[in-house]
Amino acid sequence: MQALRILRGFTLNVNDNIKLALEIETLKLASLEEIMEEFQPGGSDLQTNITGLGTKALAIPFKVKSHNPELIGLYGGEPGKRHNFTGRKLVISEEDGSTHEHAVDVLGRLTKVDSEEMSGGKASGFDHEINGIWNYTEYWDNRILHRFNFKLGGWVVRNYEPVNSDRRRILF
């Protein structure tokens, strides 16, 4: 049985020069969701899902409690323009006090800048979203947990194990 592990802090850095540790309110790592197709064979009363058809597009939403023009200015841009985003969080074991780093490195585009409603006496900020992700590497304690590379055809590492090497060898 695994020990209870608790999040004790997180941050997001952009292009190694915009550090959001004191501005970031929320950060959600990309949801990993398979593309599926429903199928009901002609002679069956039961439908099934055909899985393994790929992974839905990755997106990373985050919110800052700040009005940061350097960050807002990264929105959009010419075709092909992407930025490096590094999310890091500190996780601590409630059983033995050991610390762990869970991190993600992403090459993508800032595709959403949505201002929160402004209200007197309240801090407001912006909702953001990273899309158009071409590289996604997720680390646990400096080991590669998952790695996705769009230009190499998809998953390179999944659950610490290399995958799709034959496909890359044949196609790319």
Side-chain angles (χ1 to χ4, degrees):
M1 187 166 109
Q2 290 289 328
L4 182 62
R5 294 179 177 153
I6 306 295
L7 174 67
R8 295 294 186 194
F10 64 96
T11 189
L12 182 66
N13 298 327
V14 187
N15 292 334
D16 294 328
N17 65 342
I18 301 172
K19 306 199 183 291
L20 300 173
L22 298 178
E23 299 175 49
I24 195 157
E25 182 179 12
T26 64
L27 172 66
K28 185 176 185 277
L29 296 183
S31 295
L32 303 178
E33 184 177 349
E34 277 194 311
I35 297 169
M36 298 181 288
E37 182 177 315
E38 292 180 353
F39 174 66
Q40 183 174 349
S44 176
D45 291 335
L46 180 65
Q47 191 177 65
T48 188
N49 287 329
I50 299 172
T51 59
L53 300 176
T55 300
K56 290 186 177 183
L58 304 178
I60 298 177
F62 65 98
K63 180 185 284 194
V64 295
K65 275 291 192 213
S66 177
H67 294 256
N68 186 324
E70 292 81 18
L71 179 61
I72 295 167
L74 298 178
Y75 167 77
E78 64 276 2
K81 181 68 174 173
R82 286 180 170 71
H83 300 280
N84 294 301
F85 297 87
T86 301
R88 300 173 72 190
K89 64 182 178 178
L90 173 65
V91 178
I92 299 179
S93 168
E94 288 296 309
E95 181 179 13
D96 62 12
S98 61
T99 61
H100 305 275
E101 180 181 352
H102 188 195
V104 62
D105 282 327
V106 174
L107 179 64
R109 291 175 61 95
L110 187 62
T111 59
K112 178 181 178 182
V113 177
D114 185 16
S115 177
E116 293 179 344
E117 180 178 331
M118 292 173 266
S119 178
K122 294 187 178 182
S124 65
F126 290 83
D127 291 330
H128 301 275
E129 191 165 271
I130 304 164
N131 280 288
I133 295 172
W134 278 31
N135 295 323
Y136 176 93
T137 304
E138 189 173 345
Y139 303 90
W140 181 262
D141 286 339
N142 296 314
R143 289 182 54 212
I144 297 173
L145 176 60
H146 300 299
R147 177 170 279 161
F148 173 88
N149 185 308
F150 181 77
K151 290 176 80 174
L152 293 178
W155 292 106
V156 178
V157 175
R158 193 171 30 227
N159 196 26
Y160 300 108
E161 298 293 327
V163 294
N164 295 326
S165 55
D166 286 340
R167 183 168 108 183
R168 281 191 308 280
R169 179 182 54 79
I170 293 167
L171 298 178
F172 301 100

